[in-house]
Amino acid sequence: VSAAAAARLVDAGPLAYGDARAVALAPDDGLRAQFLVQANTEADDDVPHTPESVTRGVAAALRVAESLANVRSMALPSVGTGAARFAPAALAPEILGAVADHLAAGSYLERVVFAFVDEASHHAYARALDRLRRAAERGEAARRYAVHV
């Protein structure tokens, strides 16, 4: 993210726990996107992140993306593996489930792509998606998957 885009997020002020917001990106921000969505997954500086708090942040980010005009796709990084320090394999099933539930509920989003900077995250999400798809095929879950890793 460019320094200018990061500054716009900071200038927007504090973000409440579980909330998300979008800032418009400029062509010189270096991203092929119209908006940057930020979500707060931390309840308090003294309270550690949890898988539930990270999933709640992803759900908030999806709702914000849904509210933006003409946005039909969204890219997500390996959420929760930076400051929250979770292993990708620990969060992947929860985050994929939250995305699939959002899409299945009737979404304007046509595509959610997970973008990773390392192979471990990619493999963790691919394995989790495969497990979730197999469970859905066995009737254990009623989720559709328009999710790409």
Side-chain angles (χ1 to χ4, degrees):
V1 176
S2 73
R8 285 194 297 280
L9 288 173
V10 170
D11 290 346
L15 185 60
Y17 166 63
D19 282 349
R21 65 172 158 231
V23 295
L25 292 174
D28 61 345
D29 283 327
L31 294 173
R32 291 181 17 191
Q34 295 174 305
F35 299 96
L36 179 63
V37 177
Q38 175 189 29
N40 182 1
T41 63
E42 190 173 28
D44 188 313
D45 289 338
D46 298 330
V47 178
H49 291 86
T50 65
E52 293 79 20
S53 72
V54 174
T55 303
R56 181 178 174 167
V58 168
L62 288 163
R63 286 190 301 276
V64 165
E66 191 77 40
S67 73
L68 300 169
N70 299 320
V71 172
R72 297 294 173 256
S73 65
M74 181 177 191
L76 290 170
S78 187
V79 180
T81 60
R85 298 187 176 156
F86 285 106
L91 291 176
E94 300 302 320
I95 292 173
L96 287 170
V99 170
D101 288 346
H102 179 87
L103 295 173
S107 174
Y108 289 113
L109 293 173
E110 297 168 357
R111 184 173 167 193
V112 176
V113 177
F114 287 84
F116 306 113
V117 296
D118 62 80
E119 287 292 316
S121 294
H122 177 264
H123 291 303
Y125 274 77
R127 284 190 303 271
L129 183 59
D130 185 54
R131 284 192 303 272
L132 288 170
R133 283 182 172 153
R134 284 194 316 258
E137 288 169 2
R138 291 190 305 266
E140 295 174 17
R143 293 178 169 157
R144 286 188 347 205
Y145 297 97
V147 179
H148 306 276
V149 294

